[in-house]
Amino acid sequence: MARIVRVDMRMIDLMPKVRRVDAIQAFISQETLIVTITDSDGVIGTGYSYTIGTGGPAVMALLEKTLAPALIGKDADRIDGIWRDLLFTTHATAVGVITSLALAAIDTALWDLRCHKQKLPLWKAVGGSRERVPLYTTEGGWLHLETQALVDDAIAVQETGFRGLKIKIGKEHLSDDAERLDAVRSAVGEACEIMTDANQSFSLSEASRRARMLEDYHVGWFEEPLPADDVLAHVELARRTSVPIAVGESLYSISQFKDYLQSGAASIVQVDVARIGGITPWLKTAHLAEAFNVTVCPHFLMELHLPLVCAIPNARWLEYIPQLDTITTEQIRIEDGMAIASNAVGLGIAWDWDAIKAAELVHHTEIEY
């Protein structure tokens, strides 16, 4: 049995390369937590999670004060057991985003470690369903962009082979959103999938109005139309519209997804590996969605979600928003609008440790004495 003997925790702040604005917030930074776990055989696994702008120090404190000490001496191969033990160690703060983000950084590191011991890439170690997945891009669809900028980007990405794109909605009046969508649809044609995202900004009545408008443009989905904790409102909205309802980036447990799926409140599951608490619960949520014949299209974390969507049969899209370009030596491979899973052992992320160390704001080590 190889025991965990060392846990290194770092926090860095990644600045987005483009301005990102949606209906409720602006992405000013990405506080990224990086955890490296070493076992008694000398095998190392690296995992990470993130916040958008704030909250990183709180996650770091939970890792440093509570979770990392509990890892020392554990059997590194008991991933599910460790995840559950740590969840109940933090029972007073679970279910919640800070706990989930901390658990995710540890869980992804443990999966990376296991893959290195098995000499397998993650996408094969957890399923191996396929080698590539279609991409859609969000980077050219932010809410602050003028209509012509949306059109220009849509044409450009379509020419490179992308099969879909996302447009943020939530302008003051319905007609403003309609004008932007009409221009993009006219530019790219019907074959290009257009997704829309309201970032929880609408009431049920306003979401119903916007959904009727969205039907005219045959959009792929209506993402986060309402506050994520209002399941019954999503049930009613789904009843009123033919547009697929997508949720998941603001859900933090398998049970929350279960409530949506059982009630028919969502037809696209956007489970985020960081916000659900790691690869372990991500896979369980994806398989739960499969049981309901529901598609998985995860939120953000493109570099980590790539192997996961290639591991399962019910994934449809991968969201293109680069996060790790400045701290990796290689980016994901893209051919004709398809992201291709890496065959490198582990998560498939080529960390640039010099860049990471230069950018770190906090570094703490927990070791066996």
Side-chain angles (χ1 to χ4, degrees):
M1 179 185 78
R3 297 177 296 107
I4 296 171
V5 297
R6 180 183 177 108
V7 184
D8 282 282
M9 296 148 280
R10 295 176 172 87
M11 187 180 79
I12 62 176
D13 198 356
L14 300 177
M15 303 303 293
K17 291 183 178 180
V18 302
R19 187 181 176 208
R20 297 170 178 169
V21 176
D22 60 36
I24 63 169
Q25 65 188 344
F27 289 40
I28 57 173
S29 65
Q30 296 162 192
E31 292 175 334
T32 300
L33 297 304
I34 300 174
V35 170
T36 302
I37 296 174
T38 305
D39 74 8
S40 53
D41 290 335
V43 182
I44 297 173
T46 299
Y48 71 108
S49 66
Y50 74 102
T51 73
I52 296 175
T54 59
V59 182
M60 188 71 182
L62 185 58
L63 287 166
E64 178 183 338
K65 304 293 185 183
T66 304
L67 299 182
L71 285 172
I72 300 299
K74 296 282 190 182
D75 178 356
D77 204 40
R78 290 188 60 248
I79 297 178
D80 193 274
I82 289 173
W83 190 90
R84 190 160 296 278
D85 288 346
L86 294 182
L87 177 68
F88 281 94
T89 296
T90 57
H91 187 67
T93 61
V95 171
V97 62
I98 291 174
T99 298
S100 290
L101 294 174
L103 288 173
I106 290 170
D107 190 73
T108 51
L110 288 172
W111 275 102
D112 188 49
L113 193 155
R114 174 181 283 183
C115 288
H116 277 88
K117 298 197 85 142
Q118 296 178 343
K119 299 185 179 352
L120 284 173
L122 179 64
W123 71 276
K124 288 184 179 179
V126 296
S129 182
R130 55 183 162 175
E131 297 183 20
R132 60 185 64 203
V133 66
L135 285 163
Y136 77 91
T137 178
T138 300
E139 283 292 74
W142 300 103
L143 195 64
H144 68 282
L145 295 172
E146 297 295 332
T147 300
Q148 190 57 51
L150 298 179
V151 170
D152 292 344
D153 182 79
I155 293 171
V157 297
Q158 189 179 41
E159 289 175 349
T160 66
F162 277 62
R163 294 157 168 78
L165 55 95
K166 183 187 290 181
I167 303 296
K168 297 287 185 173
I169 63 174
K171 289 289 189 178
E172 184 175 358
H173 194 271
L174 178 152
S175 61
D176 297 321
D177 283 339
E179 184 267 334
R180 289 154 61 86
L181 285 168
D182 186 69
V184 173
R185 175 58 79 199
S186 297
V188 299
E190 292 293 333
C192 183
E193 197 78 274
I194 297 176
M195 295 76 168
T196 57
D197 184 1
N199 294 98
Q200 306 184 70
S201 61
F202 295 138
S203 64
L204 176 58
S205 60
E206 186 60 27
S208 299
R209 293 181 69 231
R210 306 270 172 150
R212 286 193 292 273
M213 177 269 292
L214 295 178
E215 289 177 348
D216 293 337
Y217 298 103
H218 309 112
V219 300
W221 65 62
F222 189 2
E223 180 176 335
E224 287 204 314
L226 304 160
D229 58 359
D230 194 344
V231 180
L232 291 180
H234 283 85
V235 172
E236 178 61 22
L237 180 63
R239 186 189 67 79
R240 295 179 184 181
T241 183
S242 63
V243 177
I245 304 300
V247 298
E249 71 178 79
S250 301
L251 303 182
Y252 305 106
S253 75
I254 301 169
S255 184
Q256 290 175 340
F257 282 97
K258 174 261 296 176
D259 291 342
Y260 268 92
L261 291 166
Q262 278 188 332
S263 60
S267 48
I268 307 288
V269 161
Q270 296 183 301
V271 56
D272 180 316
V273 71
R275 296 181 178 184
I276 193 67
I279 292 168
T280 297
W282 192 98
L283 290 168
K284 293 177 181 181
T285 302
H287 295 317
L288 176 66
E290 182 185 4
F292 280 88
N293 195 28
V294 167
T295 298
V296 171
C297 301
H299 166 256
F300 200 40
L301 289 184
M302 145 182 105
E303 297 89 349
L304 182 52
H305 282 133
L306 172 55
L308 293 177
V309 294
C310 287
I312 63 171
N314 55 319
R316 176 67 182 90
W317 294 97
L318 179 67
E319 183 174 23
Y320 180 83
I321 305 182
Q323 181 195 13
L324 302 178
D325 285 2
T326 60
I327 56 168
T328 53
T329 58
E330 299 174 9
Q331 280 70 60
I332 67 170
R333 184 178 160 201
I334 300 172
E335 292 181 359
D336 191 29
M338 304 284 283
I340 302 170
S342 171
N343 280 314
V345 170
L347 302 183
I349 297 172
W351 299 106
D352 183 340
W353 286 106
D354 289 337
I356 290 170
K357 291 173 183 177
E360 69 184 29
L361 302 174
V362 184
H363 181 190
H364 178 77
T365 299
E366 189 74 30
I367 61 174
E368 180 182 40
Y369 293 98

